[in-house]
Structures are given as C-alpha cells and as structure tokens.
Amino acid sequence: MDRADVGALVQSAVDGDAAAWKALVEGLSPLVWSVVRAHRLSDADAHEVYQTVWFRFAQHLGRLREPDKAGSWLASTARHESLKVIKSLKRLTPTDDPQLLDRISEDRTPEQSVLDSEEAAAETERIRRMWQEFEELGDRCRQLLRVLMASPPPTYQEVSAALGIAVGSIGPLRQRCLRRLRARIDARGAL
C-alpha cells in the first residue's frame, strides 16, 4: 500500500469509517503476517500475536503521530509482540535432561513464602488506599492524571487537545494535583 493511501485510510478509520479499517487490515495484514512468521512461532502463538498487534493498533489509532507510517508501526509492534512470546516460551521449555531435573530447587522456604505473601497483601492494600484517595480528588485532577498515566504516555499537545488545558498549564496543574494527592494520603496516613 502507498504511504499516502495508508495515511488517508488511518484518518478515515479514526473518524469511524469501517470500510477504511477493513481496507487497512486487508492491505497491511500481509506485512504483519510476514513479521510474525519470520519469528517461527507456532500457529497458535502466531495467531495470538497477529490479533494482539491489530488490537494494539486499534487502541492507538487516534494517537499515531505519523499515520502514513502505520505499516512501520505495525511491523515494529509485530516484532515486539513476537519477541515477547518467544521470551515467555523460553521460561517454560519442557525437558527430560536428568541433570536439569535433579538440580536443587531454588524455591523459597515456606517461611519466606509466608513473608512474601504478607508483603504482597500489604502492597495490595496500600495501592487500594492510594486509589481510594485518588478518587476523592476533583474531576479535573483525576482526568488529567488518568490521561498522563496512559501507556504510551500522550504528548502534552494531545493532553491539551483532549482536556482543553493550555500546554503550558499541564505541568503545573499536574504538580498541584500530585501535591494534593500526597497531602490527602499523608493526612489519612493511608500509605
């Protein structure tokens, strides 16, 4: 597909044109498949990566800085997701090698497992209380902080366009909101 065509299709898809989305998928699927197949994944893993790539593309469609380079974005994402699968498979490689099977276990002691479990429970409770205090912030602070926590983080120009806040005000407002959150947490001893 021509880059200009891709850019126009991306823009149309952002605007809700289902035919444009279909054209993108049909036109760029061979590229995605070629990258995925180059990593020699199993059929199931390859299909999962393929679907993940298109899902991520749909999530980021409106935030692409250079819509005409959507093919590069898809290829890079396909490579990243394929490598992620390969890395996870290395951890779960079955073996019948007696030297590996007879190796001394590196598992934690029962006592250490209990301590780890208690630490995880305390961390979960601390996070729950932090989010509880977050929900008590004003709407504007909650909106701004949620947008800034997005992954990948949006540019200040995108934040400005989404929330109607001047670019130069975003940083100071963010600091005020975080100070307010810290004050609420400190006041309640929540963390």
Side-chain angles (χ1 to χ4, degrees), residues 35 39 49 53 56 74-86:
V35 173
H39 288 85
V49 167
V53 168
R56 298 231 187 284
L74 285 164
S76 176
T77 304
R79 179 181 172 278
H80 174 76
E81 291 298 327
S82 295
L83 292 174
K84 232 165 60 171
V85 167
I86 289 168

Side-chain angles (χ1 to χ4, degrees), residues 50-86:
Y50 174 82
Q51 291 175 354
T52 301
V53 168
W54 283 106
F55 177 72
R56 298 231 187 284
F57 185 66
Q59 284 180 313
H60 295 90
L61 191 62
R63 290 184 270 168
L64 293 179
R65 291 188 186 132
E66 299 176 87
D68 58 321
K69 293 184 180 177
S72 298
W73 191 97
L74 285 164
S76 176
T77 304
R79 179 181 172 278
H80 174 76
E81 291 298 327
S82 295
L83 292 174
K84 232 165 60 171
V85 167
I86 289 168

Side-chain angles (χ1 to χ4, degrees), residues 138-175:
D139 288 339
R140 187 173 174 138
C141 280
R142 283 196 319 265
Q143 277 184 323
L144 176 64
L145 293 176
R146 277 197 175 111
V147 168
L148 291 173
M149 285 188 290
S151 179
T155 65
Y156 273 20
Q157 289 77 17
E158 292 169 329
V159 173
S160 174
L163 300 179
I165 300 171
V167 171
S169 298
I170 294 171
L173 179 57
R174 175 180 158 261
Q175 285 187 341

Side-chain angles (χ1 to χ4, degrees), residues 127-139 141-147 149 177-178 181 184-185:
I127 290 169
R128 186 195 65 75
R129 286 186 293 199
M130 190 274 306
W131 278 110
Q132 185 177 6
E133 294 302 326
F134 178 86
E135 289 301 323
E136 298 296 321
L137 291 174
D139 288 339
C141 280
R142 283 196 319 265
Q143 277 184 323
L144 176 64
L145 293 176
R146 277 197 175 111
V147 168
M149 285 188 290
C177 292
L178 290 173
L181 178 60
R184 291 186 63 80
I185 289 170

